[in-house]
Amino acid sequence: MSHYFAALNKFSCNVIYTQWKQTISNHNSAKTWKTFKRDHKTTSKRQSNQMLNQLPLYASGEIVRGFGRGSKELGIPTANFPLEVVKSLPESLLTGVYYGWANVDSGPVHKMVLSVGWNPFYNNTEKSVETHMLHEFNCDLYGQLLKICIVGYLRPEKSFDSLEALITAIKADIEHAKTHLESPENKKLQEATFFAKNPIESECK
């Protein structure tokens, strides 16, 4: 089975196929994917299976400033990908909440939960990909390279009646992610060559 790998440097964005190998494509031959809003309720079982069969999905990109709500309003900080990475993801990737692995500047690989979509509670006008790593960093992450491995799907995105209800749902997502990532099959992905460390390790831990 082929898996998708979406990679971004500061100048261009690539989407390539890989078979568990970290490879680099020619920037001029990058494949991009049209993305659009999809109503999860009308998504067919076939479409859902197509999306799940593509996992694990690997993506990387420079961490940019988001809406600033993760830390301030929710107490759950997120690392945001730039729009170029969001647009490069396959269109079959359903909006919603996922779980997987992530690292920053080729440092240690941590568990994570990921939101893909428009955040209905906030009525965002642009699609976003926001990663919450289950680790407390000792530095500012903006401008650093974030790598993620999307392992599984938790739930579709939805709105909530209150901020408290949203926070409760996110905390439940985090606990479910922790459980799923403890399976032997999923733990193997923590050691994927995609996360291979560079000769000079990041000081951000």
Side-chain angles (χ1 to χ4, degrees):
M1 181 189 303
S2 293
H3 305 292
Y4 290 104
F5 168 77
L8 174 79
N9 62 26
K10 293 184 179 180
F11 305 102
S12 62
C13 182
N14 294 331
V15 175
I16 61 178
Y17 296 97
T18 181
Q19 289 285 353
W20 297 103
K21 295 179 181 179
Q22 184 178 6
T23 57
I24 301 175
S25 69
N26 187 312
H27 292 172
N28 295 325
S29 61
K31 297 179 181 179
T32 58
W33 300 83
K34 180 181 179 183
T35 58
F36 55 90
K37 191 169 184 178
R38 185 193 299 275
D39 185 347
H40 180 81
K41 293 181 180 178
T42 61
T43 301
S44 68
K45 183 176 180 180
R46 180 179 178 181
Q47 289 171 322
S48 297
N49 289 338
Q50 179 187 7
M51 179 273 294
L52 292 173
N53 287 337
Q54 291 175 359
L55 301 181
L57 185 150
Y58 298 86
S60 68
E62 182 182 354
I63 298 173
V64 299
R65 292 187 182 277
F67 300 102
R69 297 185 293 235
S71 297
K72 294 178 182 178
E73 294 187 23
L74 305 175
I76 303 169
T78 61
N80 290 34
F81 277 136
L83 190 58
E84 290 89 345
V85 171
V86 178
K87 289 183 175 180
S88 77
L89 296 174
E91 66 178 49
S92 57
L93 188 70
L94 304 178
T95 59
V97 181
Y98 294 80
Y99 61 91
W101 301 99
N103 74 346
V104 174
D105 276 3
S106 299
V109 181
H110 303 290
K111 295 176 180 178
M112 65 85 170
V113 289
L114 181 83
S115 171
V116 178
W118 285 265
N119 295 316
F121 182 77
Y122 290 105
N123 294 313
N124 288 356
T125 57
E126 277 190 353
K127 191 175 183 180
S128 64
V129 174
E130 303 175 44
T131 301
H132 171 64
M133 285 171 280
L134 309 189
H135 176 77
E136 186 173 342
F137 288 88
N138 62 359
C139 62
D140 189 335
L141 300 182
Y142 295 125
Q144 301 195 56
L145 181 67
L146 171 67
K147 291 182 180 180
I148 65 171
C149 171
I150 304 175
V151 176
Y153 188 61
L154 289 174
R155 63 173 176 84
E157 64 174 348
K158 61 180 182 178
S159 189
F160 294 88
D161 295 331
S162 66
L163 184 63
E164 291 73 19
L166 171 60
I167 293 172
T168 297
I170 294 174
K171 289 182 176 179
D173 295 333
I174 291 171
E175 293 306 312
H176 291 146
K178 289 179 181 178
T179 300
H180 289 310
L181 290 169
E182 281 301 311
S183 74
E185 180 180 5
N186 289 336
K187 288 195 76 169
K188 288 180 182 178
L189 295 171
Q190 186 180 14
E191 306 298 326
T193 56
F194 173 73
F195 293 119
K197 293 184 178 181
N198 293 329
I200 300 177
E201 295 187 20
S202 170
E203 295 181 358
C204 187
K205 298 179 180 179

